[in-house]
Amino acid sequence: MGANRPRSSSISSIMTTNGANPNPNFDVHTLYRIKTSRSSKKLDHFFGEQIPHDICIKEIKKEGLKALLQSKVPLCYFLYHLLEEYSHENLFFFIELEQYETFQYVSRVQQLATAQHIFNTYLTRNSHFEVNLDDKVRRTVTDAIQRKDVETCFETAKRSVYSLLESSYMRFMMTDSYHQMVSTCGELTTHYPDETRFAAVNVLLGYIEREHAMIYTNPLTDAPVFMSVSQTTKRRHELIKSMLHEFCRTLVGVEFNYYRHDPNDGPLPLSSAPSSSSAEATPRSPQQIHQQQRSPSPPESKSPKQHGKSKFDFLKKK
C-alpha cells in the first residue's frame, strides 16, 4: 500500500455505525445475482446467442448496490468514485471473489493456488491492493486456506467487503459521478451503444491521466528523500492502470491503448473488444487476471510529451 495513502473505512467502523450485523443485504445480493444470471441465460437461449445485456439505471435506482454490481457500463462510474476515495481495491476484491466462486478449476490444487494468490494480493499487510478488513476476518481466511477449505475460505471476507461497498455506494449517490452515470446511460437502456460505453471508459481514463500528471511531472518525486515513496507510488499507479485496462476489456468490452498522452492529440483511442464483450462470455480465473496485470516500468523521462505515442503493453510480463 502506498505511503500516506488515506485508508477506506474498516469493517469494524461500519459495524459500530450500523449495528451488530455488518452485512444485512449480502444474502439478498446473492439471490439477485442468481436471478440476473438466470434471466441472461434465458435471453441467450431465446436468441440463440449471447446477448450483451446490461442493467438499466431504473433497476439500479430500485435495487441499489446489488444491481449496480451486476452491471457493466454503470459500474465504471462507481469504480471511478471508489478510485477517488481510495477504496477501489474493495471492488476489485469483490469481483475477483465472484469469479473465484464461478470459475471451473481443473483441480483443487489450482483452486488452492488461486485462493492463496487472492489472499496475497488483497489481504496481505502493505500489499498494493490491501483491503481494510479486521484481523479476525484475515485470520478466518488464513485458517480456511491452511485447512484447504477452498470452497468457503473467502465467505466471511466477501460479506465484510460487501458492507464496505454499501457504505461507498451511499456516498456515491451524492456525487456528480452518480448524476453523470444517470444522464449518460439513460433510465431504461439495457443495451448500451459504443458511444455510451466509450464515455464510461473515458471517465476512468480521465483518472489515469490526472494521476499520471501528478506522479510523473512532480519535481519532488526525484528528490532522494522521496525516492522510495515515489517508486512505490509509481508501481501502484502502473498496477491500477493495468487493472483498469483489464476491467474495461473484460466487463465493458472496450480495449484502449494507453500511452503518455499529449492533450493536443485529442482523446485516447478506444475500440470495441468483440472477443471479450463480457465477463460471462469469456470467463477468466482471478489468477489469470493477476498474472497479466504487470505492466512495464515507466520510461525514465517524466515528460509525457517527450514520448509521443509510444504505447504501453499492459499484458507484457517483465
Side-chain angles (χ1 to χ4, degrees):
M1 182 175 294
N4 299 324
R5 173 174 167 262
R7 293 179 65 86
S8 58
S9 302
S10 68
I11 189 64
S12 58
S13 65
I14 292 179
M15 289 178 64
T16 302
T17 303
N18 295 344
N21 189 357
N23 44 29
N25 297 320
F26 179 78
D27 293 327
V28 178
H29 157 77
T30 302
L31 294 174
Y32 183 85
R33 184 189 66 181
I34 294 173
K35 183 187 75 171
T36 304
S37 177
R38 288 175 177 173
S39 298
S40 297
K41 289 179 180 178
K42 287 180 180 179
L43 284 173
D44 295 343
H45 179 74
F46 179 81
F47 287 100
E49 59 181 345
Q50 290 182 323
I51 304 300
H53 181 267
D54 208 332
I55 306 296
C56 68
I57 299 301
K58 184 177 181 180
E59 179 77 0
I60 293 172
K61 287 182 176 180
K62 176 185 176 183
E63 300 293 344
L65 178 64
K66 58 182 178 290
L68 181 61
L69 290 175
Q70 297 305 308
S71 71
K72 300 176 181 66
V73 173
L75 192 59
C76 292
Y77 295 91
F78 184 50
L79 175 54
Y80 176 81
H81 168 72
L82 296 176
L83 288 164
E84 288 284 287
E85 69 170 21
Y86 300 98
S87 61
H88 48 277
E89 64 273 2
N90 294 336
L91 181 59
F92 289 152
F93 182 46
F94 190 86
I95 292 175
E96 290 250 32
L97 295 184
E98 295 269 272
Q99 294 179 340
Y100 174 81
E101 293 172 353
T102 58
F103 187 77
Q104 298 298 315
Y105 298 93
V106 297
S107 66
R108 286 180 62 85
V109 173
Q110 183 195 31
Q111 188 171 2
L112 181 61
T114 302
Q116 186 63 58
H117 186 84
I118 293 174
F119 180 88
N120 294 341
T121 302
Y122 295 101
L123 299 179
T124 300
R125 291 295 184 188
N126 298 319
S127 62
H128 287 290
F129 292 106
E130 180 189 355
V131 177
N132 194 17
L133 300 181
D134 285 348
D135 288 337
K136 182 178 179 181
V137 175
R138 296 172 191 268
R139 287 195 299 270
T140 300
V141 178
T142 301
D143 293 344
I145 292 178
Q146 289 177 347
R147 296 194 309 269
K148 299 183 179 180
D149 182 10
V150 292
E151 284 78 15
T152 61
C153 58
F154 291 111
E155 182 175 335
T156 302
K158 188 178 180 183
R159 287 176 176 271
S160 297
V161 80
Y162 186 84
S163 292
L164 296 179
L165 289 171
E166 280 191 313
S167 179
S168 294
Y169 179 71
M170 297 301 293
R171 294 189 293 272
F172 172 59
M173 290 192 296
M174 307 297 292
T175 65
D176 292 339
S177 297
Y178 177 83
H179 297 295
Q180 183 182 7
M181 175 191 74
V182 173
S183 62
T184 303
C185 295
E187 286 281 330
L188 300 175
T189 304
T190 58
H191 174 55
Y192 297 107
D194 286 349
E195 180 181 1
T196 304
R197 293 188 296 128
F198 289 172
V201 172
N202 268 321
V203 170
L204 297 175
L205 291 179
Y207 173 85
I208 293 177
E209 286 289 325
R210 188 171 66 253
E211 289 296 304
H212 170 80
M214 291 175 59
I215 293 171
Y216 289 102
T217 62
N218 186 349
L220 292 178
T221 58
D222 288 330
V225 68
F226 293 109
M227 188 62 70
S228 61
V229 175
S230 172
Q231 292 304 315
T232 300
T233 302
K234 290 176 181 177
R235 177 57 178 161
R236 179 178 173 79
H237 174 66
E238 296 299 323
L239 289 172
I240 291 175
K241 192 165 59 178
S242 181
M243 292 289 278
L244 291 180
H245 177 272
E246 189 68 12
F247 175 91
C248 294
R249 190 182 72 84
T250 58
L251 278 181
V252 190
V254 174
E255 191 93 33
F256 63 84
N257 291 319
Y258 183 82
Y259 52 83
R260 300 195 178 284
H261 187 57
D262 187 337
N264 296 325
D265 291 339
L268 290 169
L270 301 174
S271 63
S272 297
S275 62
S276 56
S277 60
S278 69
E280 291 79 8
T282 309
R284 298 164 59 81
S285 71
Q287 190 175 25
Q288 285 177 312
I289 291 178
H290 275 290
Q291 285 175 343
Q292 294 183 344
Q293 78 176 24
R294 298 177 182 175
S295 60
S297 299
E300 293 181 1
S301 174
K302 308 303 185 296
S303 172
K305 294 184 179 180
Q306 292 178 5
H307 291 276
K309 296 184 179 180
S310 58
K311 297 178 181 178
F312 285 98
D313 182 0
F314 283 90
L315 307 183
K316 180 180 178 182
K317 296 182 180 180
K318 285 187 176 180

